[in-house]
Amino acid sequence: MTTDASRRAFLRRAGALSLAGSAAPWALNLAAMAEAAAANASDYKALVCIFLYGGNDYANTLVPYDSANYAAYQQLRPTLAYARSALAGTALTPAQVPLDRNGMQHAYALAPELGKLAPLFDAGQLGVVLNVGPLVQPTTKLQYQNRSAPLPPKLFSHNDQQSIWQSSAPEGAGSGWGGRMGDLFEAGNGNATFTCVNVSGNAVYLAGRQAVQYQVSPGGAAAINALAKPLFGSTACSDALRALITQPRTQLLEAEYNRVTSRAITANNALSAALAGGPAITTPFAAGNALAAQLKMVARMISVAPALGIKRQVFFVSMGGFDTHDGLLTVHPKLLTGVADAMAAFHAATQELRVANAVTSFTASDFGRTLTGNNDGSDHGWGSMHFVLGGAVKGKTFYGTAPVVASDGPDDVGQGRLLPTTSVDQYAATLGRWLGIADADLLQLLPNLANFSQRNLGFMA
């Protein structure tokens, strides 16, 4: 855990305390929710967010494969479309054929580079959520055009849409829905520090109102070097530094700084010891794949959750480079290969550890991209296609409504930008419900969920 994150969390909370009079009912409700959720968490479950920064190109990830829709796809992006013959090995055969709003059947294939995910779909462990994105409420194209329904703020902006996906609010949000879920389970975890774990730096997704995301590197816990080995070659210097940065202080900010530093040192020692005594994971993870390295660390932490007394965990990993305005045919396939290698290895590792049914990973991204190309790439969009993977996933199935593949069609708000038919709140609520969060609590965690009649998409057992 970095001290920077802890300081920011402290200052955020200090500001919240100044509003305690108006916020007291919410704080009391949240405390009651945490107590109830923790009491019900007798087993272990982990939720893993795989965020693809930059806005993943949906059309070259999940490709229309039936003759009519493939022809429309190829016509709309003639310089970017996969050859249909290249998709034969990754064509998906779902348990139920997805339909669009007009009742037309759709068939899809994964991009060839996602070939390692196809057997997981066939085995019923991978599900696909169609046309999901931020929505305030169910919205029609006419409402969008007339601005007669509330819309997510700052559409098509990287930073803001990343934040809205992760927190339901634009850039500057104080907490994310992963962290708010973590708030509910901290009290029931033997070591609350490891409730929300970020292996890729820092993200609002894991910021709770109480929970502070624990940041760890793919190589393990981040130690304070001057304490891990003698400072200036002197144990006495290290001891003096330890006392300086951990001893109680009378000044409020100094006291909190030293408290969180002491907690970080304790957490580092606990995690390092647990990992050293944890099981060896023999599942191979691709060398040089940053996402795979992050997910291997997640698997290692999951393997030692019992030793740390953890019942519920929320993880965050990420991969960048998906802002493919140009070079799509060169850049995007390499990115998808990395995603497939990492996700398949991670799932295999959970099977090796015999926790596959207790671990669910899912993808997210800033937004989808335009179906219409700009000759060499695609531009910022809105709705997209996402994957959910795990032993508890009701896979081999598409969830949601297939978008109509047509220029200026009913799902197109311009250049093939999909108007989402499934909201991030519905996506998150389905995952949260599996994690053990009550429906009433989900309505408090996800601010737009109350506007949707379907709050469980059904992709989790």
Side-chain angles (χ1 to χ4, degrees):
M1 177 189 303
T2 66
T3 52
D4 284 346
S6 300
R7 285 199 302 273
R8 286 194 297 272
F10 168 70
L11 292 173
R12 185 177 68 244
R13 292 171 193 163
L17 287 174
S18 68
L19 301 174
S22 60
W26 164 254
L28 291 173
N29 287 342
L30 192 62
M33 287 159 55
E35 188 173 318
N40 294 327
S42 58
D43 56 352
Y44 176 81
K45 288 184 179 180
L47 195 60
V48 184
C49 176
I50 301 171
F51 204 90
L52 309 178
Y53 279 107
N56 183 39
D57 185 275
Y58 74 84
N60 275 21
T61 296
L62 188 71
V63 187
Y65 187 67
D66 59 277
S67 297
N69 286 300
Y70 177 82
Y73 153 79
Q74 186 179 46
Q75 183 179 15
L76 287 167
R77 48 170 50 193
T79 63
L80 302 176
Y82 281 103
R84 193 166 187 271
S85 59
L87 302 170
T90 53
L92 300 178
T93 306
Q96 184 174 349
V97 177
L99 305 176
D100 64 25
R101 63 175 66 244
N102 298 325
M104 181 181 183
Q105 294 185 344
H106 286 244
Y108 290 101
L110 296 175
E113 294 78 16
L114 294 174
K116 287 186 178 181
L117 299 184
L120 299 176
F121 182 89
D122 293 338
Q125 297 170 329
L126 179 78
V128 181
V129 185
L130 298 170
N131 195 12
V132 58
L135 285 172
V136 176
Q137 65 180 44
T139 304
T140 67
K141 181 176 178 178
L142 183 61
Q143 287 174 320
Y144 170 82
Q145 291 172 330
N146 293 337
R147 297 300 191 265
S148 58
L151 298 173
K154 302 183 179 180
L155 284 170
F156 320 129
S157 156
H158 280 297
N159 291 352
D160 294 291
Q161 296 310 303
Q162 289 163 12
S163 181
I164 288 170
W165 251 97
Q166 296 179 28
S167 71
S168 303
E171 187 176 22
S175 69
W177 55 266
R180 296 194 291 268
M181 289 180 181
D183 286 334
L184 302 179
F185 295 108
E186 272 199 319
N189 281 337
N191 192 324
T193 300
F194 303 119
T195 302
C196 297
V197 181
N198 195 323
V199 197
S200 67
N202 189 31
V204 69
Y205 171 76
L206 281 186
R209 291 185 169 90
Q210 279 74 41
V212 178
Q213 57 190 305
Y214 180 80
Q215 296 182 36
V216 64
S217 77
I224 298 176
N225 290 333
L227 302 182
K229 56 186 178 181
L231 179 61
F232 305 126
S234 168
T235 301
C237 286
S238 291
D239 291 343
L241 176 62
R242 183 185 299 274
L244 182 67
I245 61 177
T246 62
Q247 66 189 6
R249 300 297 183 98
T250 56
Q251 205 276 337
L252 179 63
L253 292 176
E254 289 181 343
E256 180 65 11
Y257 182 90
N258 281 16
R259 186 185 70 81
V260 296
T261 302
S262 179
R263 183 177 62 188
I265 294 169
T266 301
N268 170 65
N269 293 339
L271 181 58
S272 297
L275 292 174
I281 296 175
T282 61
T283 298
F285 284 76
N289 183 327
L291 181 61
Q294 293 172 46
L295 285 171
K296 184 174 183 179
M297 185 63 212
V298 172
R300 292 181 65 199
M301 291 195 68
I302 288 171
S303 76
V304 299
L308 295 170
I310 306 297
K311 298 296 185 183
R312 291 289 186 274
Q313 286 182 289
V314 185
F315 292 93
F316 185 91
V317 298
S318 69
M319 184 177 187
F322 288 87
D323 191 19
T324 49
H325 287 285
D326 50 38
L328 177 67
L329 294 181
T330 302
V331 175
H332 196 241
K334 295 177 182 177
L335 294 171
L336 294 184
T337 298
V339 170
D341 287 350
M343 290 183 69
F346 177 68
H347 183 66
T350 65
Q351 291 176 315
E352 178 189 344
L353 295 169
R354 299 183 179 180
V355 294
N357 288 349
V359 179
T360 299
S361 56
F362 65 97
T363 62
S365 190
D366 315 17
F367 35 62
R369 305 189 74 82
T370 56
L371 180 58
T372 303
N374 61 14
N375 188 45
D376 195 29
S378 54
D379 297 319
H380 298 184
W382 191 354
S384 192
M385 318 301 188
H386 286 289
F387 303 123
V388 187
L389 175 63
V393 173
K394 296 179 183 178
K396 200 177 170 63
T397 302
F398 295 95
Y399 294 90
T401 304
V404 174
V405 184
S407 178
D408 197 31
D411 298 306
D412 178 3
V413 298
Q415 297 181 268
R417 292 185 174 99
L418 294 181
L419 172 62
T421 46
T422 296
S423 76
V424 174
D425 291 68
Q426 292 169 294
Y427 190 44
T430 307
L431 294 164
R433 193 169 183 266
W434 169 78
L435 203 60
I437 301 174
D439 293 347
D441 295 342
L442 288 169
L443 289 169
Q444 296 192 53
L445 296 179
L446 300 164
N448 300 316
L449 184 61
N451 299 328
F452 297 87
S453 58
Q454 183 184 15
R455 296 167 189 170
N456 180 7
L457 299 177
F459 57 74
M460 298 301 302

